[in-house]
Amino acid sequence: QVQLQESGPGLVKPSETLSLTCTVSGGSISSYYWSWIRQPPGKGLEWIGYIYYSGSTNYNPSLKSRVTISVDTSKNQFSLKLSSVTAADTAVYYCARGVEDTAMVDTFLDYWGQGTLVTVSS
Amino acid sequence: DIQMTQSPSSLSASVGDRVTITCRASQSISSYLNWYQQKPGKAPKLLIYAASSLQSGVPSRFSGSGSGTDFTLTISSLQPEDFATYYCQQSYITQWTFGQGTKVEIK
């Protein structure tokens, strides 16, 4: 059974960089779209971006200038860095696995981590 | 980017009711539409992918339909464990987007 687990600081100061890691167990990190999604308290889901196992990335245009997603296949991990954070970046951050349905070329998120709350505050 | 609009934003229903949630895309997305269920304090769970394909292990009372710009998630007979928030998500373009969510509450 594939499992994803987010890790990283729960508190980040304004203007600093938020850094999270997602560790994948029970399966290979190859051939999938490794994604980050966030959810501000009481609000809906916002897609941040993904990295394909080969290293190609796609980001939410509204966050693109501040986001970097990377992958370490040797450790079965992928990471998120979000720079210049403000209180608006306070959210539960989820990592998830994106799978391409080869019949339709639809891509969906089939496994998710439990989420980690990151608060931006001085 | 593609905007996804769900309606209603919330609804109240009773156990055994048939429930329908709509998701509209700002442009055609073919069938590249997925549905998720989220319960409080939990991660979202995939229900439907490619507009109408049921994810393994998901009860058959959940179904999805639609293509192009208009999509529907139907729960044929609402069960107590179905009270949750539901989100649609498009993967037609590489910048994925979610709908704002529909909260299904107990009447």
Side-chain angles (χ1 to χ4, degrees):
Chain A
Q1 177 77 343
V2 175
Q3 293 185 314
L4 289 79
Q5 178 67 58
E6 304 90 351
S7 59
L11 181 63
V12 181
K13 290 183 169 54
S15 79
E16 295 189 344
T17 296
L18 179 160
S19 296
L20 295 174
T21 296
C22 183
T23 301
V24 180
S25 59
S28 172
I29 204 161
S30 298
S31 302
Y32 297 104
Y33 296 82
W34 300 100
S35 307
W36 289 96
I37 300 97
R38 70 181 183 179
Q39 185 171 38
K43 296 188 177 180
L45 301 170
E46 180 180 32
W47 174 74
I48 298 171
Y50 66 69
I51 186 165
Y52 194 52
Y53 78 103
S54 60
S56 63
T57 55
N58 265 298
Y59 301 134
N60 185 323
S62 68
L63 299 170
K64 187 174 183 178
S65 63
R66 300 193 290 130
V67 172
T68 302
I69 298 176
S70 59
V71 65
D72 186 337
T73 54
S74 67
K75 294 183 179 179
N76 254 29
Q77 293 177 335
F78 62 106
S79 299
L80 168 71
K81 291 189 185 299
L82 181 65
S83 64
S84 305
V85 297
T86 69
D89 296 308
T90 294
V92 174
Y93 285 76
Y94 295 100
C95 59
R97 188 181 83 167
V99 178
E100 188 173 68
D101 169 41
T102 53
M104 291 295 299
V105 200
D106 176 40
T107 309
F108 49 88
L109 300 163
D110 64 346
Y111 287 99
W112 295 63
Q114 64 186 22
T116 187
L117 174 64
V118 178
T119 301
V120 178
S121 175
S122 55
Chain B
D1 56 344
I2 297 176
Q3 308 299 322
M4 307 300 294
T5 303
Q6 290 181 231
S7 60
S9 295
S10 64
L11 65 91
S12 296
S14 301
V15 173
D17 284 353
R18 182 182 182 87
V19 170
T20 299
I21 298 168
T22 297
C23 178
R24 176 165 288 176
S26 59
Q27 67 180 73
S28 177
I29 58 169
S30 185
S31 296
Y32 297 3
L33 190 282
N34 309 307
W35 290 98
Y36 302 86
Q37 175 194 64
Q38 186 181 35
K39 296 181 180 179
K42 300 294 187 182
K45 171 188 173 183
L46 176 69
L47 298 176
I48 302 285
Y49 63 93
S52 60
S53 296
L54 192 67
Q55 172 68 350
S56 175
V58 174
S60 59
R61 63 180 179 272
F62 291 94
S63 64
S65 65
S67 67
T69 60
D70 294 318
F71 301 87
T72 299
L73 173 69
T74 299
I75 309 172
S76 61
S77 178
L78 197 66
Q79 298 302 300
E81 60 268 30
D82 301 336
F83 292 96
T85 300
Y86 295 83
Y87 294 92
C88 61
Q89 174 247 329
Q90 66 79 21
S91 64
Y92 183 73
I93 62 172
T94 52
Q95 281 74 44
W96 301 344
T97 45
F98 288 91
Q100 82 279 16
T102 295
K103 187 174 184 179
V104 177
E105 298 175 301
I106 301 173
K107 195 171 194 177

